[in-house]
Amino acid sequence: MSKKNISQEKIIQAFLSSAFDKSAGATSLADVADSLEIKKASLYNHFESREAMYSACVEYCKNQIGAVDFLVSKIADSITDGKTTIQAAFKKLISRYFALFDSEPLFKMYVFVHSEQYFNAECLKIVQSQTEKMAENIRTLFDCAVAVKAFKSRTDKEAKDLSLNCTSLILQQLDAYIAVRKETVRLNPETGAGSLFELPSDNNIINRTVKLVEGFLNLL
């Protein structure tokens, strides 16, 4: 094999790709090395063990997912300024949220942490943090809607509960969306990494999510 310029990040991305194809638990050092076209021994120049590589992968996902910005402040300003309705604002939020996790590298990170949350406490924390962040964003939109009198004012607990319920609804649909997309990759292996996202988005689930949230909002 020719000598290659391999970084920790490239190794992590290779681990994520293998985990996406065959699960994290089934991914070996040999799988990662073969993907990078290097000798397995070369991986030890970057990680002392498979466990260290796995931990680095979790930390990488934590940082990348944690840095996701939904541009909620801009959406909120459009409500306050009377430029958009609360329903249209939620549609923008949902569409952006789905689009972000329907593209590399977040797509495979989402699959990784949501699969590993049942086995790894740190992955569970990533998922919980993602949920909390989305709930905070939705709470911001709810507060803006109250400010322009689109919604009636509620107690802090009521507003928090509404935000969490709406978040749960959206995330359930996103889970379904990601599952469908992953199956699309499995059935179309030629799409692979990098070209998977040339496939058209599954607008049916996105539109269904928007309608479900609209129905939720109409009850408020």
Side-chain angles (χ1 to χ4, degrees), residues 148-204:
V148 298
K149 302 186 184 308
F151 292 162
K152 68 179 182 180
S153 180
R154 288 177 166 80
T155 66
D156 182 68
K157 183 180 184 306
E158 289 173 337
K160 182 178 181 179
D161 288 344
L162 285 173
S163 299
L164 287 173
N165 289 339
C166 190
T167 296
S168 295
L169 188 156
I170 293 172
L171 293 183
Q172 286 171 4
Q173 295 302 309
L174 178 61
D175 284 345
Y177 182 83
I178 294 297
V180 169
R181 296 296 275 173
K182 189 175 189 302
E183 182 66 4
T184 299
V185 181
R186 192 186 70 78
L187 296 176
N188 299 275
E190 71 280 1
T191 58
S195 57
L196 155 65
F197 308 104
E198 294 176 3
L199 294 170
S201 297
D202 186 341
N203 289 321
N204 288 332

Side-chain angles (χ1 to χ4, degrees), residues 70-87:
F70 304 115
L71 301 179
V72 71
S73 60
K74 292 184 179 180
I75 299 175
D77 287 343
S78 68
I79 297 174
T80 304
D81 295 339
K83 296 179 180 178
T84 189
T85 64
I86 184 66
Q87 288 80 6

Side-chain angles (χ1 to χ4, degrees), residues 84-95 138 142 151 165-166 169-170 173 205-220:
T84 189
T85 64
I86 184 66
Q87 288 80 6
F90 267 91
K91 184 175 182 178
K92 288 181 181 178
L93 179 67
I94 292 167
S95 297
I138 290 176
F142 278 156
F151 292 162
N165 289 339
C166 190
L169 188 156
I170 293 172
Q173 295 302 309
I205 295 180
I206 296 175
N207 292 334
R208 182 175 70 198
T209 304
V210 171
K211 288 186 178 299
L212 286 171
V213 171
E214 287 178 349
F216 179 86
L217 297 176
N218 288 337
L219 296 175
L220 302 182

Side-chain angles (χ1 to χ4, degrees), residues 9-164:
E9 184 171 7
K10 286 183 179 179
I11 293 172
I12 288 171
Q13 290 172 349
F15 187 96
L16 283 170
S17 291
S18 180
F20 180 83
D21 291 334
K22 58 195 301 187
S23 84
T27 293
S28 66
L29 291 178
D31 292 325
V32 176
D34 289 345
S35 173
L36 295 169
E37 298 183 334
I38 61 174
K39 294 180 180 179
K40 185 171 74 171
S42 298
L43 296 173
Y44 291 105
N45 293 327
H46 302 275
F47 298 102
E48 63 181 16
S49 65
R50 183 191 178 282
E51 290 70 26
M53 185 187 299
Y54 176 90
S55 296
C57 187
V58 172
E59 185 67 19
Y60 181 79
C61 291
K62 175 184 175 181
N63 293 335
Q64 294 294 315
I65 293 176
V68 170
D69 183 3
F70 304 115
L71 301 179
V72 71
S73 60
K74 292 184 179 180
I75 299 175
D77 287 343
S78 68
I79 297 174
T80 304
D81 295 339
K83 296 179 180 178
T84 189
T85 64
I86 184 66
Q87 288 80 6
F90 267 91
K91 184 175 182 178
K92 288 181 181 178
L93 179 67
I94 292 167
S95 297
R96 177 169 174 74
Y97 195 66
F98 276 58
L100 283 168
F101 286 102
D102 192 26
S103 60
E104 289 277 30
L106 290 174
F107 182 83
K108 289 181 179 177
M109 292 183 193
Y110 185 100
V111 172
F112 174 77
V113 298
H114 280 257
S115 298
E116 290 300 297
Q117 67 174 311
Y118 303 105
F119 311 102
N120 183 282
E122 290 304 312
C123 284
L124 176 59
K125 289 179 183 178
I126 295 172
V127 173
Q128 291 173 333
S129 179
Q130 177 193 10
T131 301
E132 291 168 2
K133 186 174 182 179
M134 171 60 94
E136 289 172 1
N137 287 329
I138 290 176
R139 173 65 185 272
T140 297
L141 298 188
F142 278 156
D143 289 345
C144 288
V146 171
V148 298
K149 302 186 184 308
F151 292 162
K152 68 179 182 180
S153 180
R154 288 177 166 80
T155 66
D156 182 68
K157 183 180 184 306
E158 289 173 337
K160 182 178 181 179
D161 288 344
L162 285 173
S163 299
L164 287 173

